[in-house]
Amino acid sequence: MPDQLPEIELEDRGSKGRYVLRGPGGAEAEMTFTKVGEHQIIIDHTEVPDVFRGQGAGLRLVTRAVEDARAAGKKIIPLCPFANAQFRRHPEWADVLKQ
């Protein structure tokens, strides 16, 4: 696998969507979300296959969601345990965290 991870793709399917990193052999690291109204999203699941482990793929997926939410003026509800842990580690994301 090259040193640089592929670009994150956003798949928007109406009320649901996901951010995905595609790797070799069809492997996909993904973070799924559900839209709640116009101004909130719930991060419900993050999954990173072994091929991506140790490369920061999960953190990259959550970071992308934070950046997109910030740009769109949305708040995030991190129900996924991984995403929730990342929000606790990154107090600079407090502006997009739904309290």
Side-chain angles (χ1 to χ4, degrees):
M1 173 123 195
D3 290 330
Q4 188 164 359
L5 285 171
E7 286 299 308
I8 295 171
E9 298 174 35
L10 170 60
E11 295 178 357
D12 191 333
R13 298 183 178 132
S15 65
K16 294 192 175 285
R18 71 180 187 146
Y19 290 94
V20 62
L21 282 166
R22 300 184 198 285
E28 292 183 343
E30 71 170 1
M31 185 194 71
T32 62
F33 63 88
T34 302
K35 296 176 187 173
V36 181
E38 293 291 315
H39 303 289
Q40 295 179 51
I41 66 165
I42 295 170
I43 296 177
D44 16 57
H45 179 70
T46 305
E47 185 169 340
V48 178
D50 288 342
V51 71
F52 289 108
R53 298 250 185 244
Q55 300 175 57
L59 176 58
R60 281 191 60 208
L61 292 167
V62 178
T63 300
R64 170 69 187 274
V66 167
E67 291 167 352
D68 288 356
R70 189 174 283 143
K74 295 183 178 182
K75 297 286 186 181
I76 295 175
I77 302 166
L79 291 185
C80 161
F82 177 80
N84 195 336
Q86 293 306 315
F87 269 88
R88 287 194 307 272
R89 290 184 186 117
H90 294 274
E92 69 274 17
W93 295 349
D95 62 310
V96 297
L97 178 62
K98 174 68 176 168
Q99 298 296 337

